[in-house]
Amino acid sequence: MKFCPNCGQPVEIRIPQGDNLPRHVCPACDAIHYHNPKIVVGCVPEHEGRILLCRRAIEPRLGYWTVPAGFMENDETMQQGAARESWEEALARVDIGSPLAIVHVLHAHQVHVMFRARLAGPEYGVGAESLEVALCRPEDIPWKDIAFPSVTYSLERYLEDRAAGRDGLHFTAIDRRLPRPGPGA
Ligand SMILES: [Zn+2]
């Protein structure tokens, strides 16, 4: 943020009185503009043992596979958001089930919340943000071509839980800003 959305003046980055983190502060109108994580909602839709995957037609990670997911909108629940994304990306009507995973994507300032889901019927298609949509057998999941680590994590936990006959809720954090382990680590 360079300019104040309230008054259009250039903002400064400083720690407001009584705060402990640098914020975007407008010296003209005194507004403090907080930047907080955004919520991404998605689901792992299943139909007759297969998982619905979409190949992305948009950046980031164009051409890579994902489950339906996207930024939550105002005035919707997480479940409604996950169902909306399934429709937009895969023209699929889904029944959203139990929460599956909460992934803190620290480097992207996002929290990804994934649900289990079932296709309401066998119908699906290719939405505007997808190149290709497929009902994938677990053994055919293209693990090397999954778009985001939160999707890999969710698919892994989904399949583990399904095999074990349980509906777990899994938490993890991903931070790509951390130094990578060296060779042999
Ligand atoms: Zn201002």
Side-chain angles (χ1 to χ4, degrees), residues 102-118:
I102 296 175
V103 182
H104 302 93
V105 188
L106 296 170
H107 56 273
H109 303 158
Q110 294 171 2
V111 180
H112 295 192
V113 181
M114 299 290 192
F115 291 84
R116 294 176 181 82
R118 296 209 168 263

Side-chain angles (χ1 to χ4, degrees), residues 69-109:
F71 288 109
M72 190 177 180
E73 300 283 6
N74 293 336
D75 301 315
E76 72 181 4
T77 65
M78 289 187 178
Q79 290 93 329
Q80 287 167 341
R84 174 182 52 73
E85 292 290 342
S86 300
W87 176 251
E88 290 175 1
E89 296 178 7
L91 308 181
R93 301 282 183 203
V94 298
D95 297 319
I96 300 293
S98 57
L100 165 68
I102 296 175
V103 182
H104 302 93
V105 188
L106 296 170
H107 56 273
H109 303 158

